[in-house]
C-alpha cells in the first residue's frame, strides 16, 4: 500500500516543470538539429512525457546490456574549449582562475542573448526556464525550509554570488577597454544580470558532465572540468540503473559515449545514473527527489543525543577525541555503525578502558543493544516530530513553487525512512 501512495505522490509534477514537460516540441527540434549536424544516433530513443518523471527518453526498440545509449561527437558538446575558441574567450584570459561552471554559464548567457544568431539556439531552446533546486524557492518559502536545507543552500548561494561578482569585476574592466557584443554593441556587464547568471549557473549544475581531455585550452580552470551535452539532458536519473560514460576515439574523432549496463523493453523509459546520491544531495544539486532512495539517511549529532540523555564530560571528550560521533544516522536499514557505537558508550556501565575492545572486538551483547535501541528510539521519535512539524509548516504555505514542492517531498521521504528505521529498531 505504501508503494502506491508514494508513486501517486511522485506524480505531482511541479507547476512550472509542467510548462516544459507537457510538450516535447523543443526536444524534438533539438533532435532534428543534431541530425542536421551529422549526428548519428546509436539507438532509437524518442523524447516522451512520462507520468512519473515528466519529459524523458523512450526506447523505441529493446535495449540490451552494453548497448551504446548515446554517442555525441565532441564538437557538439559545449566545453571550456568551445568557450576558449569563442568571441567571449577574452573575458577569461585575465590572470584570474575561473571554475568551469562560471565559464560555461557565461557562455550560455551570451549565446542566449544572441537569440537567432546563436549556433546553439535549438539547444538553448530545449533548456528549462527555471529549475527546482532550493535556490529557486521564493523568498517566503526559503524562510520556511528546514535548517538542514538552508544551511547547505547558503553555501551554494554564496558560491554562485562570489562567482558572479568576480565575473562582473572583469566585465567592468573590459568595458573600459571597449570590449562589447559585436551584435548589439552592449557591454557585457549590461548583458549578464545576476538573475540570468543564477539560471546559467544552475543550468550547468543540473546538466553538466565531467570531462577530462580538454588540452590546448587557453582558459585557466579551477577544479573539475565540465561539459554540456545536448540530448544527454533528456535522460532522467534513477539509482536502479547503471550506465558508464567515457570519451572515446574513433577514426581521429572524439566522442562522448554512454553505455547502458541495464536492459530496457521497447516503450519503457531509459534512464542514466547521475551518481550515488541520497535525496538531500539530489535536491540540492539537481532539484528533484526520488521515492524510496536506498541511500537516504537522517543524520543526528551529539546535541540531539544530549536532548534525550545526560552525557558525562568523560563520555563527551572520549567521543570527540576519537571522532566517533562524526557520522551517526538513521536509515531504512536501522541505526548505522557509528550511531550504535556512540549510543553504546552513552548508555554502558562498563569502564572506559573497555569501550574500544567491546565495540571493535567483542561486539555488543543483547543487553547493550537493547539500551542502544531504546536511546536510538527516543532520538528517532524526536527527529520525526521535528520533521513532521517542519512539514506541517511547509504545507501551510500558500504559494508553492516547484522547488518548494520538491522540499516537501524530501521531508515526506525522510519521515518514511524514519518510520522504516523505527520498525527495524523495534524488531
Ligand atoms: Zn548583443
Amino acid at each position: 500500500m505504501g508503494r502506491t501512495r508514494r508513486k501517486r505522490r511522485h506524480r505531482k509534477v511541479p507547476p512550472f516543470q509542467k510548462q516544459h514537460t507537457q510538450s516535447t516540441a523543443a526536444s524534438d527540434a533539438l533532435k532534428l538539429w543534431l541530425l542536421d549536424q551529422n549526428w548519428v544516433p546509436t539507438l532509437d530513443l524518442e523524447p516522451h512525457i512520462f507520468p512519473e518523471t515528466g519529459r524523458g527518453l523512450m526506447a523505441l526498440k529493446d535495449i540490451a546490456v552494453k548497448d551504446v545509449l548515446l554517442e555525441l561527437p565532441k564538437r557538439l558538446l559545449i566545453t571550456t574549449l568551445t568557450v576558449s575558441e569563442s568571441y567571449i574567450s577574452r573575458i577569461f584570459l585575465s590572470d584570474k582562475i575561473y571554475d568551469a561552471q562560471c565559464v560555461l554559464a557565461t557562455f550560455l548567457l551570451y549565446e542566449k542573448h544572441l537569440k537567432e544568431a546563436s549556433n546553439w539556439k535549438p539547444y538553448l531552446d530545449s533548456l528549462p526556464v527555471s529549475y527546482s533546486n532550493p535556490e529557486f524557492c521564493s523568498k517566503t518559502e526559503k524562510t520556511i525550509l528546514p535548517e538542514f536545507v538552508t544551511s547547505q543552500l547558503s553555501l551554494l548561494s554564496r558560491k554562485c554570488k562570489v562567482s558572479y561578482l568576480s565575473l562582473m569585476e572583469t566585465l567592468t574592466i573590459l568595458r573600459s577597454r571597449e570590449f562589447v557584443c559585436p551584435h548589439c554593441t552592449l557591454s557585457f556587464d549590461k548583458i549578464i544580470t545576476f538573475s540570468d547568471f543564477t539560471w546559467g549557473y544552475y543550468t550547468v549544475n543540473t546538466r553538466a558532465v565531467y570531462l577530462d581531455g580538454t588540452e590546448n585550452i587557453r582558459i585557466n580552470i579551477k577544479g573539475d572540468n565540465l561539459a554540456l551535452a545536448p540530448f544527454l539532458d533528456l535522460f532522467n536519473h534513477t539509482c536502479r540503473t547503471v550506465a558508464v560514460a567515457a570519451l572515446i576515439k574513433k577514426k581521429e574523432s572524439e566522442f562522448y559515449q554512454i553505455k547502458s549496463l541495464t536492459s530496457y523493453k521497447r516503450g519503457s523509459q531509459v534512464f542514466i545514473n547521475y551518481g550515488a546520491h541520497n535525496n538531500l544531495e539530489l535536491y540540492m544539486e539537481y532539484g528533484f527527489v526520488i521515492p524510496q532512495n536506498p541511500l537516504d539517511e537522517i543524520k543526528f549529532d551529539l546535541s540531539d543525543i544530549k536532548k534525550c540523555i545526560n552525557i558525562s564530560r568523560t563520555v563527551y571528550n572520549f567521543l570527540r577525541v576519537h571522532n566517533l560521533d562524526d557520522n551517526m544516522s538513521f536509515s531504512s536499514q536501522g541505526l548505522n555503525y557509528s550511531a550504535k557505537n556512540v549510543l553504546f558508550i552513552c548508555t554502558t556501565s562498563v569502564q572506559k578502558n573497555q569501550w574500544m575492545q567491546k565495540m571493535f572486538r567483542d561486539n555488543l551483547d543483547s543487553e547493550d543493544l537493547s539500551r542502544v535501541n531504546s536511546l536510538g528510539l527516543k532520538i528517532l521519535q524526536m527527529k520525526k516530530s521535528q520533521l513532521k512539524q517542519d512539514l506541517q509548516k511547509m504545507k501551510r504555505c500558500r504559494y508553492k513553487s516547484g522547488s518548494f514542492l520538491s522540499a516537501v517531498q524530501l521531508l515526506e521521504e525522510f519521515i518514511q525512512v524514519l518510520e522504516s528505521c523505527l520498525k527495524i529498531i523495534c524488531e
Side-chain angles (χ1 to χ4, degrees):
M1 181 210 88
R3 186 172 283 248
T4 14
R5 196 169 63 82
R6 292 162 81 111
K7 253 194 180 154
R8 215 174 297 135
R9 189 171 65 219
H10 191 59
R11 281 200 189 127
K12 264 193 264 157
V13 180
F16 75 88
Q17 217 174 349
K18 265 187 190 159
Q19 293 167 10
H20 306 285
T21 52
Q22 272 175 347
S23 151
T24 59
S27 331
D28 292 335
L30 175 70
K31 193 176 168 185
L32 286 176
W33 172 72
L34 287 169
L35 292 170
D36 226 34
Q37 309 287 314
N38 299 323
W39 168 57
V40 185
T42 47
L43 282 175
D44 257 351
L45 298 171
E46 196 175 69
H48 183 79
I49 306 300
F50 294 91
E52 293 87 359
T53 60
R55 187 180 74 178
L57 286 171
M58 183 167 77
L60 296 183
K61 282 184 186 145
D62 288 354
I63 295 177
V65 171
K66 290 200 180 155
D67 274 356
V68 175
L69 293 180
L70 178 70
E71 205 167 77
L72 274 178
K74 207 173 156 191
R75 64 185 162 81
L76 292 178
L77 304 180
I78 298 177
T79 66
T80 43
L81 180 65
T82 319
V83 186
S84 137
E85 289 171 344
S86 76
Y87 178 75
I88 66 158
S89 66
R90 202 174 144 191
I91 301 172
F92 303 106
L93 295 179
S94 65
D95 293 337
K96 272 192 204 165
I97 302 176
Y98 294 87
D99 58 41
Q101 192 163 354
C102 172
V103 173
L104 295 183
T106 309
F107 182 78
L108 285 178
L109 294 174
Y110 176 57
E111 290 293 322
K112 222 175 170 209
H113 159 85
L114 291 178
K115 297 197 172 94
E116 303 299 323
S118 169
N119 288 332
W120 298 95
K121 191 175 182 296
Y123 174 57
L124 297 167
D125 287 346
S126 75
L127 295 171
V129 292
S130 181
Y131 296 100
S132 44
N133 302 61
E135 187 67 73
F136 296 86
C137 284
S138 71
K139 267 190 185 159
T140 316
E141 288 171 347
K142 279 181 187 169
T143 64
I144 313 169
L145 287 174
E147 199 273 334
F148 65 89
V149 172
T150 51
S151 57
Q152 295 205 22
L153 174 60
S154 62
L155 295 177
L156 290 176
S157 305
R158 202 184 132 68
K159 234 178 104 197
C160 179
K161 186 95 194 190
V162 166
S163 221
Y164 177 74
L165 292 176
S166 164
L167 177 70
M168 277 301 122
E169 192 185 49
T170 307
L171 295 182
T172 315
I173 298 169
L174 287 175
R175 180 177 48 173
S176 67
R177 295 179 192 160
E178 283 161 23
F179 176 66
V180 294
C181 168
H183 283 265
C184 65
T185 69
L186 260 180
S187 69
F188 282 86
D189 58 321
K190 297 282 177 285
I191 293 174
I192 299 171
T193 64
F194 181 58
S195 104
D196 289 344
F197 185 79
T198 307
W199 173 85
Y201 200 79
Y202 274 91
T203 299
V204 180
N205 211 76
T206 53
R207 313 179 115 63
V209 292
Y210 291 105
L211 192 79
D212 288 329
T214 28
E215 310 83 22
N216 311 323
I217 85 163
R218 299 178 296 153
I219 300 171
N220 281 327
I221 298 293
K222 172 174 66 185
D224 292 312
N225 211 335
L226 302 173
L228 291 161
F231 203 74
L232 177 72
D233 291 12
L234 304 180
F235 286 99
N236 284 316
H237 163 92
T238 169
C239 43
R240 284 181 293 276
T241 195
V242 188
V244 283
L247 207 55
I248 57 148
K249 220 167 193 176
K250 269 205 248 174
K251 293 181 198 157
E252 296 308 301
S253 298
E254 281 188 292
F255 293 84
Y256 182 77
Q257 187 194 67
I258 297 184
K259 269 187 187 172
S260 174
L261 299 184
T262 312
S263 60
Y264 293 94
K265 285 265 164 252
R266 185 168 71 102
S268 61
Q269 179 168 194
V270 181
F271 290 94
I272 55 171
N273 191 324
Y274 299 176
H277 298 296
N278 62 41
N279 271 334
L280 179 59
E281 290 162 344
L282 282 176
Y283 178 49
M284 299 310 298
E285 298 295 329
Y286 302 103
F288 67 87
V289 165
I290 52 174
Q292 288 159 308
N293 188 331
L295 300 172
D296 273 351
E297 51 180 9
I298 287 83
K299 300 211 177 248
F300 64 94
D301 56 28
L302 286 179
S303 72
D304 294 314
I305 302 180
K306 276 174 152 177
K307 285 176 196 154
C308 301
I309 191 175
N310 279 324
I311 306 179
S312 69
R313 194 36 61 196
T314 317
V315 166
Y316 185 87
N317 291 342
F318 183 86
L319 294 171
R320 289 304 308 127
V321 165
H322 299 284
N323 293 324
L324 293 173
D325 60 322
D326 276 356
N327 184 32
M328 299 183 287
S329 70
F330 300 108
S331 75
S332 50
Q333 309 301 311
L335 283 161
N336 75 351
Y337 184 67
S338 302
K340 278 184 188 161
N341 284 336
V342 171
L343 299 188
F344 159 70
I345 294 176
C346 292
T347 53
T348 186
S349 54
V350 302
Q351 291 304 305
K352 185 183 160 189
N353 57 9
Q354 293 170 49
W355 291 348
M356 283 298 197
Q357 180 180 346
K358 191 102 169 127
M359 285 187 301
F360 302 121
R361 225 179 309 148
D362 298 349
N363 290 332
L364 308 181
D365 58 40
S366 62
E367 280 183 26
D368 295 328
L369 281 175
S370 148
R371 285 192 305 271
V372 162
N373 284 338
S374 124
L375 177 55
L377 204 60
K378 273 190 197 160
I379 304 165
L380 185 147
Q381 299 286 20
M382 184 184 73
K383 281 275 166 198
K384 201 173 101 182
S385 88
Q386 271 170 11
L387 282 176
K388 281 194 161 171
Q389 275 176 29
D390 289 341
L391 184 63
Q392 287 315 315
K393 224 160 106 188
M394 289 167 77
K395 284 190 165 172
R396 279 199 294 271
C397 181
R398 268 180 71 200
Y399 304 103
K400 294 189 188 82
S401 66
S403 9
F404 195 71
L405 285 174
S406 291
V408 168
Q409 201 195 343
L410 175 71
L411 263 76
E412 287 173 337
E413 287 298 323
F414 275 14
I415 292 169
Q416 286 286 332
V417 170
L418 287 180
E419 267 158 21
S420 307
C421 185
L422 189 145
K423 276 185 203 147
I424 302 265
I425 293 180
C426 292
E427 257 168 21

